[in-house]
Amino acid sequence: SQQGEEDPQALSIQEGENATMNCSYKTSINNLQWYRQNSGRGLVHLILIRSNEREKHSGRLRVTLDTSKKSSSLLITASRAADTASYFCATGYGFEGSQGNLIFGKGTKLSVKP
Amino acid sequence: EAQVTQNPRYLITVTGKKLTVTCSQNMNHEYMSWYRQDPGLGLRQIYYSMNVEVTDKGDVPEGYKVSRKEKRNFPLILESPSPNQTSLYFCASSSAGKGGASGYTFGSGTRLTVV
């Protein structure tokens, strides 16, 4: 299986703190994406980083990608109670320029306490 | 509104009774995919389709069938459901266009219980 692995499995922090989640994968990728899932609901796309990029920002989100280590991290700054959710990384395999087929990891469950 | 629509949202059925979970998208996306989500296992891909009449197996295809006769629809068929197929199922779609950066759009999920 090409499934990635997130670390930690669960993370509990106070509102205002930063949250960092990591993702490792096994084979060469075209892109890596992060998704959020509120309990039992569909996943929502957060950010995509391509294999030739090293860092990307979107609002309070910062994603890094290290293809030599086959790993990525998602940083949420100044967390809020509304950020409480599960976060998944997904690795994309496909031809250049296409996001291709996505394989998801097992997720990190983030709890932000007010 | 751009969306992926799955039906039904909830389904309880008995072992061996054939069922179909429908998935439809209104974004003219080429890619469509089915995932199942189980506690501790994350999302595992069942089948995916890169375009009409093109489908391929994911990591856990056993016991499932799919078809892609039209671009907008990608039904998931369980010919003879078993209790180990009790799960939360998600359909997702995506544009295959070069430079696409919008990710996959997910449906709201179908919670299936097989007794």
Side-chain angles (χ1 to χ4, degrees):
Chain A
S1 170
Q2 297 168 318
Q3 192 175 33
E5 292 276 343
E6 286 94 339
D7 172 61
Q9 291 185 340
L11 179 61
S12 183
I13 60 175
Q14 294 294 131
E15 209 166 26
E17 294 180 340
N18 295 342
T20 299
M21 289 158 267
N22 303 297
C23 171
S24 60
Y25 56 92
K26 297 174 184 175
T27 60
S28 295
I29 60 172
N30 176 285
N31 66 86
L32 187 142
Q33 305 180 30
W34 286 89
Y35 288 77
R36 184 186 72 223
Q37 183 185 34
N38 290 94
S39 183
R41 294 177 172 264
L43 280 74
V44 175
H45 179 258
L46 295 176
I47 194 165
L48 178 154
I49 186 165
R50 302 187 195 287
S51 59
N52 61 354
E53 297 175 313
R54 292 296 167 259
E55 188 171 314
K56 205 158 183 181
H57 297 255
S58 177
R60 293 184 296 113
L61 305 180
R62 173 180 167 245
V63 170
T64 61
L65 179 64
D66 186 334
T67 52
S68 67
K69 295 181 179 178
K70 292 186 171 59
S71 68
S72 173
S73 68
L74 170 68
L75 169 67
I76 304 174
T77 60
S79 63
R80 305 165 182 168
D83 294 328
T84 294
S86 291
Y87 291 82
F88 293 86
C89 76
T91 44
Y93 304 87
F95 58 85
E96 186 61 35
S98 163
Q99 66 181 318
N101 191 35
L102 282 188
I103 306 296
F104 284 79
K106 296 180 181 180
T108 291
K109 198 165 188 176
L110 174 65
S111 175
V112 181
K113 298 177 181 177
Chain B
E1 181 190 351
Q3 59 185 358
V4 175
T5 303
Q6 289 179 234
N7 279 298
R9 288 293 310 277
Y10 302 91
L11 178 60
I12 301 175
T13 190
V14 296
T15 299
K17 186 177 180 181
K18 181 180 178 180
L19 68 91
T20 299
V21 184
T22 63
C23 175
S24 180
Q25 50 94 4
N26 62 0
M27 296 163 282
N28 201 37
H29 283 167
E30 292 82 7
Y31 283 112
M32 295 187 76
S33 185
W34 277 102
Y35 297 88
R36 61 177 287 176
Q37 184 174 27
D38 303 287
L41 298 177
L43 276 82
R44 294 180 293 168
Q45 191 176 50
I46 303 171
Y47 270 95
Y48 64 97
S49 170
M50 297 171 74
N51 214 325
V52 176
E53 301 291 3
V54 180
T55 63
D56 210 344
K57 296 177 182 179
D59 285 331
V60 289
E62 294 78 19
Y64 304 94
K65 282 176 59 177
V66 293
S67 67
R68 188 90 183 274
K69 296 177 183 174
E70 306 164 284
K71 200 171 187 180
R72 63 182 294 127
N73 295 323
F74 191 44
L76 179 69
I77 303 158
L78 285 74
E79 294 270 3
S80 182
S82 63
N84 64 13
Q85 292 178 298
T86 292
S87 187
L88 178 58
Y89 291 85
F90 288 103
C91 179
S93 73
S94 166
S95 167
K98 287 189 176 182
S102 58
Y104 272 36
T105 300
F106 276 78
S108 299
T110 295
R111 190 168 290 280
L112 172 66
T113 302
V114 183
V115 298

